[in-house]
Structures are given as structure tokens and as C-alpha cells.
Amino acid sequence: MKEKCFIVLALLSTLFLVSCKKFLTVNPKTEMPLDVLFSSEGGFKDALTGVYLQMKDNKTYGAAMTQTTIEQLASSWDVTAKTTEERMGLFNYTDEGVEGSLSSIYGQEYKIISSVNAILGQIDSRRDVFVTAGMYETIKSECLAIRAYCHFDILRLFGPQPSSPVNGNRLPYVTVLSNTPNSRLSYHEFQTALFKDLSDAEMLVKNIDPIIKYSIQQLKAPGASGVNPTDTFLAYRYLRMNYYAVKALQARAYLWFNDTQKAYECAKLIIDAKNEDGSVKFVFGSATDIAAKDYLLTNEHIFGLYDFDLANRYTSLYGSGILKKGANNLTINNQLFGKTGTDIRESGLWELITLSGGAKGYTIKKYKVQDAPAGSDFKQIPMLRISEMYLIAAEAAPFTEGLNYFKLFRAARNIGQLAVPADPTGLQTEILKEYRKEFYSEGQAFFAYKRLNTTNTGFLFLPLAATINYLIPLPKSEAI
């Protein structure tokens, strides 16, 4: 897909206290009133595309919530003494730099939510402008799902631990644009609002989303494969919050709230999903994919953000040595992977690079898309993957069934020879290890630590001086 110039929702106030102004900006030189933008189906498409562009901002999923800030909380990268990054790994939330980094996440997440709410505030009253079958339902569903995705990450980062929901911040679940401060909800109220958005999103598209009928390969070739050849907006569903992405987010959220039965049901639905020819819809990546330089294993993505600039992100963060772990492979191979000698992630996703001045750094190749062969396009930031669904099923299913899912996961990573856990406690320990390996530089390990209230002994790479604190305070601007 080629980068285009899309309308981006311009937010004219900070955080979630948004005033409903009359303009969305195309760029600094041109403005379009809301009533003009939302007078056509194309306007709604452009506005939604603007939301996805906002999600790629460095303050959220372009960096902070995938590769940088959230990973620094898990001490995934080497740090320099007396820096914000070091203090982040020490959970020093009173530090000005740490507070600023976390506040920027909070603000950008609510900006994305505000942009979604601008669309949702117009879509029902202007339903008559939609001329393409299923377009109204699709756009509304994606907006609701994105709103849930962002709210859930705000809860996971700034909210209580699931094991103690009364201890921690109350947070707003924002559903309308308003200049009136939003009420902060109890943990249960927030949970209810979250699952309502996800349920509503699911019901809108469960019978019409093209991803249900067509394979991922077909969706990559609209027209040639017969997928909505006159409107490619309904193709490339794996790059949007599609039906299966909604179910995957439900699985992730149900596990967080300790509803293991529903988490298992949602994960299993995705694992069992088939194309019309009976083939599996979402497949594990393989050593063959890595050899083809698809280091992100894009076939696994249930939902990935397309990022035209991903090659430059890799160069600035990894190629420069800003994000690295060790000056050789010992820390990663020995401590993270246990020196298996077979794990495809251990052997294929990390490399030793030469930094400026001749020093060495060991860093991950996940986002190294500039090496992709001609005709290949792997520029996808992973947001939800099939591998996570196997780990959720392994944890949430009854022990025997869960163990089978875990064995399938291990086989896919070529570590089937490792000892089999003997009981649920042992299985939980091994699953946490896989979260660390699997989602390195994707931002999920810290949330697994927090959900399970992991102590020092289970927290890989924890600095000796650190005192674990999962209760991140609200930004100073939000304090009462």
C-alpha cells in the first residue's frame, strides 16, 4: 500500500477535555468544516484513516506503546546512567522525564479517542450518505473497536492491577466530544463500558466483514481476487480493526479481567477460523518467513498498523543502537531464550550491529523492513497476533487443553523439545517466559507482568535497585 495524504483530525484542546470545534484539518493550509467532511461517505473514510494515522504517532503505537516507553518499564533495553530511561526502569514515577513520557501516552490515547468520537457523533445522523453496502457498519464498528483498544491500554497502564481493582486510579471512559470534564469510573463501570463497545463493534460486522469470507492473501489483492474490486477500502482488512481483531481484543481483555472461560472462547474462535477452502485463516510465522526477511511475521497479524515510514523508524531506533540489549548475544541468547539453539526467534530475529565509533550492539531485527525483497511489503506494526491467541488459550483453557495449545505454540517456534509443565502453576510460569520472548519490542510483556503481579524473581532484567510499582499515577494535569 502506498502512503497517501489523508485528512487528520486536529484536536484543539488537551487530553480528553475536548471542545467540539467545527474544523478538521487536511494540513496547516486548508480547513474543512465538519458538516462538509461528513456530507459524504468519502469524508467518513478519510476521517477514519486519519485516526489510524494518529495511532502511529510516536507517543503511542508508533513507538511509546510498542517499542520504547512501555519496554523501558520492562527493562528490555540497555540504558545510560542518570537518564529518563534508567529512571523509567526503576519505576521512578516522580521524575520529571518519566512523568512527561507517560503523560504524553495518556494524552495521545485520549486524542485518538476524541477523533473516533467525532466520527461516532455524526455517523448515525448521516447514515443516508453511505452508498456502499456495509460501509456504515464497517466504519462504525472500527471506531467502536479503536475506542475500546485505546481505553483498554489506558486502563492497563494507568489503572489498577486486576488482582486489586479497588487500589489505583479511576479513569474516564469517554464516548462523546464535550468541553465538560468526564467522570472517572469505577473499575467495574469501566469494564462494562469497554465490553459494550466491543460487543457493539462485533455485532455490526460479524456477518459482513470480508475477512470472514476471504483469505488474507485474497484481501491483499483486491480486484484480482474478487474482493470489492470497486472499493479497496473494504480490502486489506488485516490492517484495520476487523471482526477477528475485535474478538482478539475481547480475548485479551477477558483474560485481564480474569474471565478465563470467555477469554478461551474468543481465542479459540480465532484459532479455529477457516477460509472457504478449509485452510487456516491465521497461521504461525516460520523460519521460512524469517529467511524471506519478514521479521515481523506479518502472516500472524490479526491487526497490524501499516506504517510507510517503518524503515526510518528502524534506522533511528535500532540501527543507531538506541534500542539494544548487550554488546554481544549472551544476554539475549542465554537469559531470554535459554540458549536453545533451535528457537527461530533466538536465531533469526536478533543481530549484532556495529555502532558509530566501532562499538557493538545486539538488537532485534523485527522492524528491519528495508531489507525486504522487491515486491514485498512488511511495514506492519503488530497490534494483535495469532501467537497471542495460542498463549491466551494455553492459560485460559482447562489444563489439559491449555497444555495442547502451548505445545502447538512451542512447536511453531521450534522449541518443542523443552520440558512439559506438570501443572497449572508450571504452565503459567512458562507462558510468562513466552510473553517476554514473543512480544519483545511490541509492548505486551509489561502488561503480562502487571496482570500476574509478577515479583522480582519472575521479572527478567529487573535492575537491582528497582522496587516494582505497577500503579502509575495520573499525569499531573489530571490530578485533583
Side-chain angles (χ1 to χ4, degrees), residues 98-391:
V98 171
E99 198 274 338
S101 295
L102 294 169
S103 294
S104 67
I105 294 174
Y106 188 91
Q108 183 64 18
E109 291 281 13
Y110 276 116
K111 285 181 180 180
I112 297 166
I113 291 165
S114 297
S115 298
V116 165
N117 286 338
I119 301 172
L120 290 171
Q122 297 283 330
I123 195 167
D124 287 340
S125 62
R126 296 176 182 267
R127 185 170 181 172
D128 60 329
V129 306
F130 290 91
V131 296
T132 304
M135 189 64 71
Y136 159 82
E137 291 85 357
T138 298
I139 290 178
K140 185 173 182 180
S141 174
E142 288 184 38
C143 286
L144 291 168
I146 292 169
R147 187 164 76 185
Y149 195 107
C150 293
H151 273 111
F152 183 50
D153 275 354
I154 292 168
L155 177 72
R156 290 199 295 175
L157 188 57
F158 293 96
Q161 292 180 260
S163 58
S164 185
V166 297
N167 296 317
N169 298 314
R170 287 186 169 218
L171 297 159
Y173 198 99
V174 185
T175 58
V176 295
L177 283 170
S178 173
N179 58 7
T180 302
N182 291 269
S183 300
R184 296 180 188 173
L185 305 183
S186 70
Y187 193 75
H188 176 71
E189 290 170 332
F190 194 102
Q191 176 182 353
T192 299
L194 173 73
F195 283 118
K196 182 182 187 307
D197 269 354
L198 288 172
S199 177
D200 290 347
E202 175 188 357
M203 295 306 296
L204 282 163
V205 294
K206 67 179 299 184
N207 296 317
I208 65 169
D209 196 324
I211 201 169
I212 298 170
K213 178 179 181 181
Y214 297 103
S215 70
I216 301 301
Q217 294 306 313
Q218 287 176 311
L219 292 169
K220 289 181 178 180
S225 63
V227 183
N228 298 295
T230 61
D231 193 340
T232 57
F233 194 85
L234 291 176
Y236 310 109
R237 297 297 297 153
Y238 52 94
L239 299 178
R240 295 182 174 274
M241 279 298 294
N242 60 74
Y243 167 72
Y244 290 112
V246 172
K247 298 304 295 183
L249 184 54
Q250 285 176 336
R252 181 186 282 179
Y254 279 126
L255 188 66
W256 180 269
F257 291 109
N258 201 33
D259 190 335
T260 55
Q261 178 60 38
K262 288 184 179 178
Y264 176 40
E265 290 171 0
C266 292
K268 187 175 186 300
L269 181 147
I270 301 162
I271 292 168
D272 293 344
K274 301 290 193 299
N275 298 311
E276 288 193 325
D277 64 0
S279 59
V280 176
K281 190 169 293 290
F282 299 104
V283 299
F284 274 112
S286 66
T288 301
D289 295 315
I290 293 174
K293 300 184 177 179
D294 181 5
Y295 305 125
L296 284 161
L297 303 177
T298 55
N299 285 332
E300 292 191 1
H301 296 192
I302 303 167
F303 166 42
L305 281 175
Y306 184 80
D307 187 358
F308 184 81
D309 200 41
L310 201 55
N312 289 331
R313 289 187 195 272
Y314 171 81
T315 299
S316 64
L317 291 174
Y318 304 93
S320 66
I322 290 175
L323 302 183
K324 62 182 177 64
K325 195 67 174 178
N328 53 49
N329 67 354
L330 295 180
T331 300
I332 292 299
N333 285 17
N334 293 1
Q335 295 184 48
L336 180 65
F337 288 105
K339 203 175 182 179
T340 67
T342 61
D343 194 317
I344 64 173
R345 300 162 299 184
E346 178 185 352
S347 60
L349 296 184
W350 290 80
E351 66 177 343
L352 190 66
I353 61 173
T354 301
L355 310 175
S356 59
K360 300 291 185 179
Y362 205 60
T363 193
I364 198 164
K365 294 194 292 184
K366 245 177 205 182
Y367 298 93
K368 192 177 182 180
V369 295
Q370 61 262 56
D371 286 350
S376 301
D377 193 347
F378 305 134
K379 302 183 186 76
Q380 297 175 205
I381 299 171
M383 301 287 277
L384 291 159
R385 292 204 280 131
I386 190 63
S387 58
E388 183 182 358
M389 298 303 106
Y390 275 85
L391 291 177

Side-chain angles (χ1 to χ4, degrees), residues 8-163:
V8 180
L9 293 170
L11 301 167
L12 303 176
S13 60
T14 60
L15 304 180
F16 60 91
L17 303 180
V18 177
S19 176
C20 189
K21 300 294 183 180
K22 291 208 67 175
F23 297 101
L24 301 176
T25 61
V26 179
N27 57 50
K29 296 180 180 179
T30 61
E31 293 182 336
M32 181 179 291
L34 278 172
D35 57 354
V36 175
L37 177 66
F38 292 132
S39 65
S40 69
E41 181 180 288
F44 278 95
K45 292 179 186 178
D46 289 342
L48 177 56
T49 303
V51 172
Y52 284 106
L53 291 177
Q54 281 184 304
M55 293 180 78
K56 294 184 296 183
D57 190 282
N58 283 336
K59 293 189 288 293
T60 48
Y61 304 104
M65 284 294 284
T66 52
Q67 303 163 65
T68 56
T69 303
I70 194 69
E71 289 291 332
Q72 288 153 0
L73 282 168
S75 296
S76 296
W77 307 119
D78 291 345
V79 295
T80 302
K82 299 181 180 179
T83 61
T84 294
E85 291 75 24
E86 181 190 51
R87 291 186 282 268
M88 187 78 70
L90 294 172
F91 308 98
N92 184 358
Y93 301 134
T94 61
D95 175 75
E96 183 177 353
V98 171
E99 198 274 338
S101 295
L102 294 169
S103 294
S104 67
I105 294 174
Y106 188 91
Q108 183 64 18
E109 291 281 13
Y110 276 116
K111 285 181 180 180
I112 297 166
I113 291 165
S114 297
S115 298
V116 165
N117 286 338
I119 301 172
L120 290 171
Q122 297 283 330
I123 195 167
D124 287 340
S125 62
R126 296 176 182 267
R127 185 170 181 172
D128 60 329
V129 306
F130 290 91
V131 296
T132 304
M135 189 64 71
Y136 159 82
E137 291 85 357
T138 298
I139 290 178
K140 185 173 182 180
S141 174
E142 288 184 38
C143 286
L144 291 168
I146 292 169
R147 187 164 76 185
Y149 195 107
C150 293
H151 273 111
F152 183 50
D153 275 354
I154 292 168
L155 177 72
R156 290 199 295 175
L157 188 57
F158 293 96
Q161 292 180 260
S163 58

